[in-house]
Amino acid sequence: MTAEWPVRWPLTLTEDRLLLRPLHRRDQRAWEEVRRVNAEWLAPWEATSPTGEPPSTFREYVRALERQAREGRALPFVMELDGLLAGQLTVSSITRGSFCSATIGYWVDRRAAGRGVVPTAVAMACDFCWFEAGLHRIEINIRPENGPSLRVVEKLGFRDEGLRRRLLHIQGDWRDHRSFALTAEEVPGGLLRRWRAAGGGLR
C-alpha cells in the first residue's frame, strides 16, 4: 500500500445476503465446481490468452490476486450469496494520480443470475472505489452480444461511451466491446443507494 492508496487488503464488503471478499486457497473445491458447472455459460465472455499460455494452478492464481491487491493494482473479490460462492468481481487496471480510474469485470454462477447479484455487487464495488479508495471513474467493457451484462449497466445507469474495436482476446480472436462508465460526480449519493431507490436489490 502506498501513501496515495488508502485501501488495506484483505477487504470485505457486505450488503444484505451478499458478501464481497478475497478468494482463499480453501475455496478451491467450491470454485472449481462452480467453474465446471458454468464452463459453457461463461466461455463466450471470458478473456483468453492470444499466445496460448497454459492456465496457472489455483494456488498460483490466488497468490497472483493477493499480490495485485497488496500492490494496489486490483481489488479481486469473490461474490458470496447466502454463504455460497456465486461468482467473482474484480476491480482491475487501477490507475491513480491524475487519472484515478479502474475497470470492473465479473462472472456469475448461472444459478444466481437474474437475482440482482451482479448489479448489487457492482454498485457496492463502485461506492467503495469512489468514497473509500479515492477513485474517480469506473469503466465496464461488455461484448455487444452479451445481453445479460448490457442489462446490468443499463439498470445501474452507466453511460455508453461507444464501441471499442477488437479490445479483448476471447475464444481465439480479438472481440469488439462496448465501453460504459460512471464518475463519482454522476452519483453523489452512491450507486447502491440509487440502485435501491430504483427498486433494485437481491431476490
Side-chain angles (χ1 to χ4, degrees):
M1 185 180 72
T2 66
E4 60 180 318
W5 182 239
V7 178
R8 292 190 178 276
W9 192 263
L11 171 71
T12 298
L13 307 177
T14 59
E15 169 64 21
D16 193 7
R17 294 145 38 224
L18 182 62
L19 183 71
L20 300 187
R21 62 163 178 83
L23 181 68
H24 302 297
R25 280 180 287 183
R26 64 177 177 268
D27 292 314
Q28 181 170 358
R29 181 174 296 180
W31 186 88
E32 289 179 346
E33 176 61 15
V34 172
R35 296 288 303 181
R36 184 190 66 78
V37 170
N38 288 275
E40 186 176 347
W41 157 259
L42 297 173
W45 323 119
E46 292 205 311
T48 50
S49 170
T51 60
E53 296 175 12
S56 59
T57 67
F58 184 80
R59 183 182 293 266
E60 291 169 340
Y61 176 57
V62 172
R63 189 181 302 124
L65 293 180
E66 291 173 346
R67 182 171 59 253
Q68 292 170 28
R70 288 195 305 268
E71 293 172 352
R73 295 187 289 120
L75 297 173
F77 295 107
V78 163
M79 296 187 290
E80 189 177 283
L81 179 66
D82 296 325
L84 299 176
L85 196 153
Q88 287 179 264
L89 179 147
T90 302
V91 182
S92 63
S93 303
I94 294 173
T95 305
R96 301 188 287 280
S98 59
F99 197 37
C100 286
S101 180
T103 298
I104 285 181
Y106 50 79
W107 64 264
V108 67
D109 186 337
R110 189 171 192 171
R111 295 164 292 187
R115 298 173 59 187
V117 173
V118 172
T120 301
V122 170
M124 292 165 65
C126 284
D127 284 355
F128 179 83
C129 288
W130 290 326
F131 307 127
E132 301 295 332
L135 297 183
H136 172 250
R137 179 180 179 275
I138 303 294
E139 176 180 298
I140 298 178
N141 296 298
I142 301 171
R143 288 189 65 179
E145 305 88 351
N146 191 344
S149 275
L150 292 175
R151 285 192 289 276
V152 168
V153 290
E154 180 181 358
K155 290 174 183 177
L156 293 175
F158 275 72
R159 280 181 291 100
D160 188 342
E161 294 193 328
L163 187 68
R164 302 175 75 174
R165 297 287 184 184
R166 299 174 65 78
L167 178 68
L168 288 176
H169 192 272
I170 296 174
Q171 287 192 315
D173 203 357
W174 296 97
R175 310 292 181 174
D176 296 347
H177 283 66
R178 284 170 61 188
S179 186
F180 298 83
L182 273 178
T183 63
E185 295 85 355
E186 293 175 273
V187 198
L191 190 54
L192 187 58
R193 179 180 176 184
R194 188 169 81 177
W195 167 235
R196 289 195 201 116
L202 301 174
R203 294 186 289 279

